[in-house]
């Protein structure tokens, strides 16, 4: 079974659709430059509005970019996420500190533009619970992720990866089947591919994405 994360949720409607349609992970973005940004208090309100705090039907992931300790403390206090996604230039040492400070699991995103980028995975073997591979965004891009950019999925095929991993970047309901076939990904992550405008999720696209993922054969990730 391929597992899916729907990321950048900002409304009770889109969060509910994602959970009810079978997302294993739901992502909330805590990064002020993002059109999907939620302050920690707003993220908590969203979880409360949908009963997610009690039910925890999907794992809650907060996406951060080089978060400082003040943000981590606020996220821990208000959200207590299952995972913190590190989508910036964090080192393995900083990731260990984030885990110790928050008690959350760690998803480390590594940007990919070519085969050399995969050499960094060994640094993360004993540190991250899950790895994520997303397209490297241009140096002058507004965001380090969530831009609908993809990379050569075949780079990941057959690569021995030390942790369960997500494929991210430019996935859509129409291409996710091919992306998993070419990469062998056990887990997938999507944001802009299920939106009708930046930061505005489209419930029908969330359902279509999860339906496509639900029909895939594959390995069960741990
Ligand atoms: O979504 C964002 O706004 C975001 C901001 C900062 C860092 C990461 C962000 N999103 C992550 O990028 C992946 C891929 O996005 P897309 O599907 O290509 O739009 C997304 O799922 C988030 O994990």
């Amino acid at each position: 079974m391929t597992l899916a994360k729907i990321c950048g949720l900002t409304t009770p409607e889109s969060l509910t659709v994602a959970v009810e349609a079978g997302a294993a992970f739901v992502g909330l973005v805590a990064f002020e430059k993002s059109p999907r940004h939620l302050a920690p208090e707003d993220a908590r309100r969203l979880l409360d509005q949908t009963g997610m705090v009690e039910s925890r039907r999907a794992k809650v992931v907060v996406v951060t970019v080089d978060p400082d300790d003040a943000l981590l403390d606020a996220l821990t206090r208000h959200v207590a996420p299952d995972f913190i996604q590190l989508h910036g230039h964090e080192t393995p040492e900083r990731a260990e500190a984030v885990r110790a400070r928050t008690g959350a699991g760690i998803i480390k995103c590594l940007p990919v533009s070519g085969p050399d980028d995969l050499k960094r995975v060994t640094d993360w073997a004993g540190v991250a619970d899950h790895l994520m591979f997303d397209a490297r965004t241009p140096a002058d891009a507004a965001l380090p992720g969530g831009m609908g950019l993809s990379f050569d999925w075949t780079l990941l095929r057959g690569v021995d990866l030390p942790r369960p991993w997500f494929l991210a970047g430019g996935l859509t309901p129409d291409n996710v089947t091919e992306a998993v076939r070419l990469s062998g990904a056990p887990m997938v992550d999507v944001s802009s591919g299920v939106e009708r405008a930046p930061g505005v999720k489209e419930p029908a696209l969330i359902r279509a994405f999860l339906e496509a993922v639900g029909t895939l054969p594959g390995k069960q990730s741990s």
Side-chain angles (χ1 to χ4, degrees):
M1 190 170 77
T2 307
L3 301 183
K5 168 169 166 268
I6 305 293
C7 200
L9 297 159
T10 57
T11 64
E13 182 194 20
S14 59
L15 177 55
T16 301
V17 167
V19 172
E20 291 188 347
F25 301 84
V26 289
L28 312 178
V29 176
F31 184 56
E32 286 183 14
K33 292 181 189 160
S34 170
R36 308 165 185 105
H37 169 69
L38 290 176
E41 297 85 342
D42 296 330
R44 173 56 188 244
R45 191 169 308 116
L46 178 60
L47 295 176
D48 281 339
Q49 284 168 333
T50 52
M52 277 292 293
V53 177
E54 294 77 29
S55 74
R56 293 276 166 166
R57 284 172 64 190
K59 298 288 184 196
V60 174
V61 180
V62 176
V63 179
T64 62
V65 180
D66 298 306
D68 62 20
D69 287 347
L71 176 58
L72 293 174
D73 290 348
L75 289 171
T76 304
R77 192 164 61 250
H78 292 289
V79 183
D82 296 294
F83 293 95
I84 297 215
Q85 181 174 321
L86 299 173
H87 218 103
H89 298 94
E90 304 85 3
T91 62
E93 293 71 27
R94 178 60 180 156
E96 293 280 24
V98 171
R99 181 198 295 283
R101 191 170 190 97
T102 64
I106 299 294
I107 299 173
K108 174 55 189 166
C109 183
L110 298 174
V112 180
S113 54
D116 282 354
D117 293 318
L118 300 181
K119 292 180 182 158
R120 291 179 58 204
V121 297
T122 49
D123 299 345
W124 292 92
V127 180
D129 296 276
H130 303 305
L131 293 171
M132 177 179 288
F133 300 97
D134 190 1
R136 185 183 296 283
T137 57
D140 60 351
L143 300 173
M147 298 193 58
L149 302 174
S150 57
F151 62 95
D152 177 0
W153 299 317
T154 63
L155 290 174
L156 289 161
R157 187 161 51 190
V159 177
D160 187 20
L161 293 163
R163 309 301 303 166
W165 55 281
F166 291 89
L167 178 67
L171 299 179
T172 68
D174 292 334
N175 70 16
V176 67
T177 303
E178 183 70 350
V180 170
R181 190 181 72 76
L182 290 176
S183 66
M187 302 191 281
V188 292
D189 177 34
V190 64
S191 186
S192 50
V194 292
E195 291 180 343
R196 57 174 174 263
V200 185
K201 290 289 182 285
E202 170 54 56
L205 290 175
I206 294 175
R207 284 195 199 92
F209 187 87
L210 291 169
E211 261 173 42
V213 171
T215 62
L216 289 166
K219 300 170 278 193
Q220 172 71 58
S221 81
S222 51

